[in-house]
Amino acid sequence: MSDRPIGIFDSGVGGLTVARAIRDQLPRESLLYVGDTAHSPYGPKPLADVRRFALEVLDDLVEQDVKMLVIACNTASSAMLRDARERYSVPVIEVIQPAVRTAVSVTRNHRVGVIATAGTILSRAYDDAFAAAPHLELFSRACPEFVDYVEAGDTTSRELVALAEHYLRPLVESGIDTLVLGCTHYPFLKGAISYVVGDGVQLVSSDTETANDVYRTLVRSGIERTSPARPVYRYEATGTSADEFLRLADQFLGPEVSSVELVETGTIPIAPKSPNTRSTP
């Protein structure tokens, strides 16, 4: 069990920020990353479609014998986290609660902003997560076009900065001192976001905190990898262009992602099933 890889899933390249944080904290662990680039971006899509796409990828990851699932996508977490935890026998880690815990601990004036995709904002997943801290005032804003800029490799253009001004100025005017980047694509835009919100607003992203959760879960479950052999890192994408995935991965993370395999999903039917069980294709 302990030598099996950790499965990491995102709608595209954004989840590579989470994968990198896990590699940094757990350098012995093997990773299997899947970006569902065939259906990216998830944010504008109906949550029912996101649920179907995400479960197809997670089914395939479990079929490849991963020991843990990391849903490195806020929209997918908001759409199907409960389904995933009922559906699979392996631990399932998501990205919303880790960021919320950090925001609650670092805010000084109890005014917290959240930016995310339209799907995540409409799901009210962050509203529900922050409900355990009723002393906080929450200000949410959908920033749907941010993902398009990241997927296009644009993190510095004047158009991007102008868009960030449009999205973020109302949050700054509300007096927030903490801003949750509620999409794993958004850390790639930290430069533009911090430029607009200023030094007085602390940015909280879920990559490091999610890696902390992965670490705690591995140790608590006794499934951390102890083999002295080199870990294996595999990257898969569901789209039609390996070159495009690699171009963005190289631009944002450097040469650590050297190859990606194109895969198909949806080979396993999605149907009601008992908790902690899987059907076979």
Side-chain angles (χ1 to χ4, degrees), residues 55-281:
L55 287 176
E56 286 175 355
V57 175
L58 294 183
D59 275 347
D60 287 352
L61 277 170
V62 172
E63 197 70 14
Q64 294 186 71
D65 203 28
V66 298
K67 65 180 176 183
M68 172 186 286
L69 292 168
V70 180
I71 306 173
C73 174
N74 287 261
T75 306
S77 292
S78 64
M80 41 63 75
L81 176 61
R82 182 175 299 177
D83 297 294
R85 286 184 168 158
E86 291 178 350
R87 188 177 181 86
Y88 309 114
S89 60
V90 298
V92 179
I93 306 296
E94 50 86 36
V95 290
I96 294 175
Q97 284 291 344
V100 168
R101 287 197 302 268
T102 302
V104 170
S105 69
V106 302
T107 181
R108 303 175 303 280
N109 68 2
H110 302 156
R111 298 170 74 84
V112 176
V114 174
I115 55 174
T117 66
T120 299
I121 296 298
L122 288 173
S123 75
R124 300 185 65 83
Y126 275 95
D127 299 78
D128 293 342
F130 275 106
H135 61 289
L136 297 184
E137 193 169 0
L138 190 64
F139 302 86
S140 301
R141 179 86 159 147
C143 303
E145 292 182 61
F146 273 173
V147 172
D148 297 333
Y149 276 82
V150 172
E151 295 284 347
D154 180 357
T155 62
T156 59
S157 70
R158 290 174 181 257
E159 292 78 11
L160 170 64
V161 174
L163 182 66
E165 287 274 3
H166 168 70
Y167 282 149
L168 303 175
R169 187 54 53 191
L171 296 178
V172 174
E173 291 173 352
S174 71
I176 62 169
D177 74 347
T178 304
L179 179 64
V180 176
L181 308 185
C183 174
T184 50
H185 285 69
Y186 294 177
F188 293 124
L189 303 179
K190 273 185 177 180
I193 292 171
S194 62
Y195 175 78
V196 171
V197 302
D199 295 337
V201 177
Q202 180 156 341
L203 304 185
V204 174
S205 58
S206 55
D207 46 4
T208 300
E209 297 306 317
T210 300
N212 290 340
D213 270 14
V214 170
Y215 182 98
R216 285 189 288 264
T217 302
L218 289 175
V219 173
R220 186 167 56 243
S221 303
I223 56 174
E224 68 273 24
R225 187 172 184 266
T226 58
S227 170
R230 290 174 61 88
V232 176
Y233 305 126
R234 291 175 51 207
Y235 300 91
E236 297 179 349
T238 62
T240 59
S241 175
D243 289 341
E244 182 65 14
F245 184 96
L246 289 172
R247 181 186 68 80
L248 290 170
D250 181 73
Q251 177 175 339
F252 293 130
L253 299 184
E256 65 185 58
V257 182
S258 59
S259 64
V260 61
E261 178 184 354
L262 297 181
V263 297
E264 292 185 10
T265 61
T267 56
I268 302 172
I270 294 179
K273 54 176 73 179
S274 301
N276 300 328
T277 63
R278 289 181 49 80
S279 62
T280 55

